[in-house]
Amino acid sequence: MQLSFLISPLLSTLQMISHNIDAIKLKIAMTAQRCGRAKDSVKLVAVSKRFPSSAIKEALTAGQFHFGENYIQEAQEKYQKLGKDIHLHFIGHLQSNKAKIAAQIFSMVETVDSIKIATVLNKHLEKLDKNLDILIQVNIGCDENKSGIAPENTRDLLVEISNLPKLNPLGLMTITPFSKSPEHSRPFFRDLRILSEKLKKDQLFYDNNQVDLSMGMSNDYHIAIEEGSTLVRLGTAVFGQRSPKY
Ligand SMILES: *Cc1c(COP(=O)(O)O)cnc(C)c1O
């Protein structure tokens, strides 16, 4: 982030990653404590899309084990050799024809947004005899260009998912409309939390005492934590600027 930007000429790219992770973890803990939350109540998911395995290995040496990927094939190629201590989160748009691999390689799919994809995932998980943690992706900003289920349909989807025994719905995820000003994300984060609280009262999650909210990216995660985020998905802040292709 700012600090690593200043000193980056002195450090190799790889040392910069572990430095970034330490600084981010500190900021996460301090932000949580400042608003009266436990300092370990927010998990960092390092979004490694378009970064090579060497960058992921460096993050691992800094004690980072949760990673996010947007593309099934890219994730499959990079993570095959990296061992099973890694918790891989799928954060891209999931298509039915990729659901089998997703069921195999991810520990959490954060982007379930239809009964169709939930049913396909469940079917593959039955064959694998495996349970999968999922989040429901909610289009909280009702943004036409974004995937995610409409807030008012989230309840019905969770009711239907309760009939799919291999899916553990742990909470909600959202991608807020892009804005340069982090404060613009606050009302969306708040709305997602309020929605999760309603659904929690109806006992629609896997564990209603501990419901996950995946919200907040590199430019607005401090705001997301203030609004109750439990998973922040950071790419640029951890790994630096993404190249179009690596
Ligand atoms: C790329 C991506 C991120 C990380 O974005 P940064 O701004 O680099 O932190 C988080 N969530 C999703 C869904 C993404 O696609």
Side-chain angles (χ1 to χ4, degrees):
M1 296 166 357
Q2 290 92 332
L3 182 61
S4 36
F5 178 74
L6 286 172
I7 62 176
S8 61
L10 304 174
L11 297 174
S12 77
T13 322
L14 294 184
Q15 285 172 308
M16 209 175 78
I17 292 169
S18 43
H19 171 85
N20 288 347
I21 287 171
D22 291 345
I24 291 164
K25 285 192 170 160
L26 193 61
K27 182 170 161 181
I28 289 175
M30 280 167 45
T31 309
Q33 278 190 314
R34 182 160 47 71
C35 50
R37 304 182 54 195
K39 65 176 195 285
D40 59 356
S41 58
V42 185
K43 212 175 277 162
L44 168 62
V45 177
V47 177
S48 46
K49 64 174 174 222
R50 303 214 293 270
F51 280 94
S53 306
S54 55
I56 296 159
K57 281 185 192 146
E58 177 61 20
L60 280 168
T61 65
Q64 178 60 34
F65 294 103
H66 288 260
F67 293 90
E69 284 283 342
N70 294 56
Y71 303 100
I72 300 288
Q73 198 183 339
E74 179 184 340
Q76 199 181 15
E77 285 165 10
K78 287 195 306 203
Y79 281 86
Q80 232 161 23
K81 303 184 202 97
L82 288 172
K84 20 182 213 301
D85 292 337
I86 291 180
H87 301 268
L88 203 52
H89 296 232
F90 186 68
I91 60 170
H93 180 66
L94 188 56
Q95 291 160 326
S96 300
N97 62 351
K98 300 281 168 63
K100 184 177 175 186
I101 302 171
Q104 284 168 340
I105 70 173
F106 288 93
S107 14
M108 180 186 262
V109 171
E110 297 200 10
T111 49
V112 173
D113 65 356
S114 70
I115 188 61
K116 178 170 172 249
I117 198 69
T119 307
V120 176
L121 268 176
N122 189 72
K123 184 189 77 186
H124 291 299
L125 290 159
E126 298 265 9
K127 284 185 211 142
L128 295 166
D129 194 22
K130 174 186 170 184
N131 275 60
L132 181 69
D133 292 342
I134 61 161
L135 302 179
I136 307 300
Q137 182 180 358
V138 182
N139 186 356
I140 202 77
C142 299
D143 181 340
E144 278 178 29
N145 303 315
K146 290 239 154 68
S147 1
I149 190 160
E152 63 272 21
N153 297 332
T154 308
R155 189 181 187 285
D156 286 350
L157 178 57
L158 276 166
V159 170
E160 291 181 285
I161 285 177
S162 65
N163 298 317
L164 301 175
K166 293 298 184 189
L167 300 183
N168 304 338
L170 299 194
L172 306 178
M173 176 269 203
T174 199
I175 306 171
T176 52
F178 179 77
S179 162
K180 279 201 174 125
S181 164
E183 274 295 334
H184 287 169
S185 302
R186 189 184 295 278
F188 299 112
F189 295 151
R190 187 170 297 166
D191 285 351
L192 193 74
R193 172 171 41 86
I194 292 169
L195 178 62
S196 79
E197 281 162 4
K198 281 190 202 141
L199 300 166
K200 192 155 74 175
K201 282 207 191 97
D202 294 339
Q203 308 273 303
L204 287 169
F205 294 106
Y206 184 73
D207 177 356
N208 293 285
N209 297 314
Q210 169 52 53
V211 174
D212 272 319
L213 289 177
S214 174
M215 55 188 197
M217 314 204 318
S218 290
N219 69 332
D220 57 12
Y221 68 100
H222 53 296
I223 312 266
I225 293 169
E226 288 171 7
E227 296 300 333
S229 174
T230 66
L231 294 166
V232 290
R233 309 179 307 266
L234 309 189
T236 319
V238 173
F239 296 107
Q241 285 299 328
R242 282 182 289 276
S243 55
K245 263 199 170 165
Y246 72 86

